[in-house]
Structures are given as C-alpha cells and as structure tokens.
Amino acid sequence: MTPVRVGVFGLLGSGNLGNDGSLEAVLHYLRAEHPEAVVDALCGGPEVVAARYDIPATRLHWYRGEYRTASRAGAIAAKGLGKLVDAGRTAAWVRRHDVVIVPGMGVLEATLPLRPWGFPYALFLLCASGRLFGTRVALVGVGADAIRNRSTRALVRWSARLATYRSYRDDLSRDAMRTMGVNTARDAVCPDLAFSLPAPQASPPSDPSGPVCVGVMDFHGGDDDRARAEEIHRRYLDGTIRFVRTLVEDGRPVRLVTGDECDAPVVTAILDAVDSPLVTAAEAASLADLMKEMAAADTVVATRYHNLICALKVGVPTLALSYAAKSDALMERMGIVAYCHPAREVDVDQLLCQFRALERRSAAVRQTLAERNLTVARQLAHQFTALTAALFPAAAHAQPPADALRETS
C-alpha cells in the first residue's frame, strides 16, 4: 500500500506550549494507530518542530516578520507580497498530502488579539486548497468563539465550511460556529487533545504550608479590548502580585510557570515585586514539564488554558483565573466550575477566599478530578476512533465503524 501522506498545520514550534502539546497528542495518535503514515508540518517554527518531533517542517509564512507590526513602507509591501506568495506555497504543500490535520488550538477564535490577515487568512488558504485538490482537511478538537471583526469572522466561517472534518473541544465552540453560519449537525464535541498526553502522578497533599503553583500570562485582554489593553494588563499583574505576596506572607512556597515565551516579563515582574526566596520560576519546555511542576504542588492557580489542562490532568485542585469562556467551560467539564475568577477583574480578597475554600475541599476535589479524567480518557478514545473512520477509511475497515460523536461532555 502507498503510505498515507499526512500534514500537520498551525502555529506550532512558535513558543506556545499548548499548541505544541496538541501537536504532540496528534503525533502520538498517528504513530500508534497509523505508523505507516508519512508526516510533515507547515508551521510557525519549523526548526523547533523538526528537532523536537523528528518530522520535516516548512515555514508557514514566506515573510518572516508576519506577526510583527509593519509601519514602514518596505515592511508593508513585504507583508502584502507575502500574502500572494503564501497562497501558492500553501496550495503546493496541501496538494502533496492525502490528509492535513489542524491539531487542537483555538484556531477559530479571537479571545486574544488577532489580525484577520495573519493566521485566519493562513487557515483559509489551507482549507480552500484542501477543497480544491481533494485533500482531506480536519480541524480536530479546535476551539472557537464568537468573533466581532467582520473580516476575521468571514475567514473563520469559510475555513470551517471548507474543512472535511470538524470537532470541537467544548459545546461553546460548536455553538459559536453554528451562530456564525456553519452547519454543525455532524460535528463532534470532545475534550481537548492535550488530555490524551501521559501525565505523572500527583504528589499527595502536604501540610497547610505546602507549595502552590501559579501559572501566569502576559494578559492584555482579547481582540475587542485593544483600547483597554494596558489597563487590563496592569490590573491583572497587580492582582497576581498581591495574591503571590499574600501566599508568601503565609509561608507558602510559590512556583511560577508560564505557557508561552511571551509570558516571561510577567514572571520577572512578580519576582522583582515580591522578592522572596519562597518564590521561584520554572523553565518548562513542554506540557510534560508543566505537568511535572503542577503534580508537585498542593494547589494550582492558573490563567492560560493549557496550564489549566495540565493541572486538571494530573488531578491537582485548581483555581482558574479565567480570561475567556473556554476556561469556564473547561472547569465545568471537570466538575469544579465554582473555582473560576475573572482575569480581567482580579479581586484579590475574593480570589483568596476562593483559594482557601478550594484547599478546604482538596480531598473531594481530587476525587472529582480522578473520576472526570476517566471519562475524558474514554471520550478521547472515541474521538481518535472517529478520526480514523473519517480520514483513514482503509484503516477503518479493520475495526468496527466509529459512531459519529454528537456530544461527549
């Protein structure tokens, strides 16, 4: 048999650990279920992806300054030319594949600042090329949310419509795409792909002065908050600093973690402001590293979506500093939605009350998370079976047909 040619696509290898964890989950699936597949990537950081995952990788954008603001005429012209060049490059890359998988990530949302002619345009080129050349394009376990910007919304809507297969990481995402005009009747809902990654066993809770893991983010609000971005960031940072300082005053060791390279300045600001040997910073290079950090903590307080997933996956009581509805939906899936606090409006007194309430219920929360993780594992097994049936029909003949996932919450 001719090996199936599989491409993976996205802002991978670009410094975001959640994106790379989603890629890792799909690669685990492909290597376990379809070892004959020949895999390569079209991605943001091809050098990182090639070195870390041992697959050939091509740069997503011809113009290397794609995600930098262009102010000079030369840069603006280069960006414009890059859009034309990328149309041909993307089409040529897609044409060489039987299947292209977009692994998880929030590719259909704008909960963080996003320009339509950046990644949304790249995703549209991918899906349109797939439809043109008959390549099966799958958006697998992706995130979506309502988008106000008309250009971004149109590109996202058409990308979804042109894809061969779609599944979403929560009901919120599927409902958002339905609202934007996409027929989601046959689309699945499944847990985030990163839940399929192996996880270390959490340490048993220690005494009341045990370690706390705090996941921070360079948070400036979403795409609709550009006018208030600095105000939102300052309030988030000040609130996080006050929270960490209170933990230190209570004698609690605090371990700071991030989920993206851009979060480093936030860590530095907290270390400078608190200035205590009880506060240290981890250098995580993968979701596996993050899980190890969180498994060693008694409690986790985190902002980034995949920081939350890592904490919930290892079963540690977790409080979400929620910056988007997707975080609330995740916490609801795992049975602890009461422990969400808005990242835009950090009220330190209320946050501390929620934190202490969470710690008082630590044993019960750990039991809840253990039960929910078993359910999540079963749901993801169904997701991968359905993916095989949709994208690898020859392989699917060797196993019972997968039921189309309607709902797995």
Side-chain angles (χ1 to χ4, degrees):
M1 294 180 61
T2 302
V4 179
R5 299 163 299 175
V6 180
V8 288
F9 175 93
L11 293 177
L12 310 165
S14 300
N16 185 285
L17 302 186
N19 291 359
D20 290 355
S22 299
L23 168 62
E24 189 175 344
V26 165
L27 291 178
H28 282 177
Y29 154 72
L30 290 172
R31 288 164 177 167
E33 301 298 327
H34 305 283
E36 76 289 351
V38 177
V39 183
D40 73 313
L42 184 62
C43 59
E47 299 85 3
V48 173
V49 168
R52 185 174 294 168
Y53 302 110
D54 195 27
I55 59 174
T58 303
R59 186 170 297 280
L60 178 59
H61 299 291
W62 172 79
Y63 178 56
R64 290 174 179 259
E66 175 62 36
Y67 294 104
R68 294 195 296 268
T69 300
S71 55
R72 296 184 178 181
I76 294 171
K79 270 197 173 187
L81 176 61
K83 302 306 175 189
L84 298 175
V85 174
D86 286 344
R89 292 174 69 251
T90 302
W93 182 81
V94 170
R95 191 174 187 177
R96 296 196 297 269
H97 296 83
D98 302 299
V99 173
V100 174
I101 297 175
V102 180
M105 306 178 285
V107 297
L108 303 177
E109 66 182 47
T111 52
L112 296 176
L114 182 71
R115 297 294 187 188
W117 303 113
F119 187 78
Y121 174 72
L123 183 66
F124 171 75
L125 291 179
L126 172 80
C127 297
S129 298
R131 182 61 63 93
L132 179 64
F133 297 117
T135 299
R136 297 184 291 276
V137 175
L139 310 180
V140 183
V142 298
D145 205 346
I147 298 173
R148 292 186 182 181
N149 182 282
R150 297 175 72 177
S151 298
T152 304
R153 185 170 65 246
L155 288 166
V156 163
R157 180 174 61 246
W158 277 105
S159 297
R161 285 176 173 174
L162 292 168
T164 307
Y165 175 92
R166 297 180 297 268
S167 65
Y168 307 101
R169 61 190 179 193
D170 50 41
D171 287 321
L172 171 77
S173 297
R174 184 170 62 182
D175 292 345
M177 295 313 297
R178 183 186 300 119
T179 300
M180 285 192 280
V182 177
N183 183 351
T184 62
R186 297 178 60 85
D187 295 355
V189 174
C190 63
D192 192 275
L193 296 174
F195 275 111
S196 69
L197 296 173
Q201 184 173 0
S203 302
S206 55
D207 56 52
S209 61
V212 179
C213 189
V214 178
V216 300
M217 178 179 178
D218 186 29
F219 179 57
H220 292 76
D223 201 45
D224 298 327
D225 297 317
R226 293 177 185 272
R228 299 178 53 231
E230 288 308 313
E231 173 194 342
I232 290 171
H233 177 67
R234 174 48 55 189
R235 183 160 187 166
Y236 168 78
L237 181 59
D238 288 348
T240 305
I241 288 170
R242 285 185 57 202
F243 177 71
V244 170
R245 184 178 287 127
T246 301
L247 293 178
V248 168
E249 290 170 354
D250 291 343
R252 304 292 294 270
V254 176
R255 186 72 160 165
L256 301 176
V257 299
T258 63
D260 194 295
E261 291 175 354
C262 70
D263 300 331
V266 178
V267 171
T268 300
I270 294 172
L271 291 172
D272 290 345
V274 179
D275 191 23
S276 167
L278 287 175
V279 184
T280 57
E283 294 185 4
S286 66
L287 293 192
D289 291 344
L290 282 178
M291 288 189 211
K292 289 177 184 176
E293 295 289 344
M294 293 173 175
D298 279 6
T299 309
V300 173
V301 179
T303 307
R304 278 199 179 272
Y305 185 77
H306 281 91
N307 275 195
L308 294 173
I309 286 178
C310 288
L312 297 167
K313 170 72 175 177
V314 299
V316 174
T318 303
L319 197 161
L321 273 175
S322 175
Y323 70 89
K326 63 184 179 182
S327 299
D328 298 341
L330 173 63
M331 296 292 279
E332 183 174 11
R333 177 188 287 276
M334 300 305 288
I336 54 172
V337 71
Y339 303 106
C340 292
H341 189 92
R344 281 177 176 76
E345 305 287 344
V346 177
D347 180 328
V348 178
D349 292 336
Q350 179 62 25
L351 180 61
L352 285 165
C353 286
Q354 289 178 283
F355 175 79
R356 288 161 181 156
L358 176 63
E359 292 211 310
R360 287 194 296 270
R361 296 194 63 248
S362 176
V365 169
R366 286 174 182 267
Q367 180 61 34
T368 296
L369 293 178
E371 294 168 356
R372 295 298 175 104
N373 271 308
L374 292 175
T375 301
V376 163
R378 290 194 298 269
Q379 293 165 346
L380 280 169
H382 284 301
Q383 161 70 103
F384 289 128
T385 300
L387 194 60
T388 291
L391 301 183
F392 305 93
H397 290 324
Q399 53 186 285
D403 183 32
L405 289 176
R406 300 293 182 182
E407 167 52 54
T408 57
S409 58

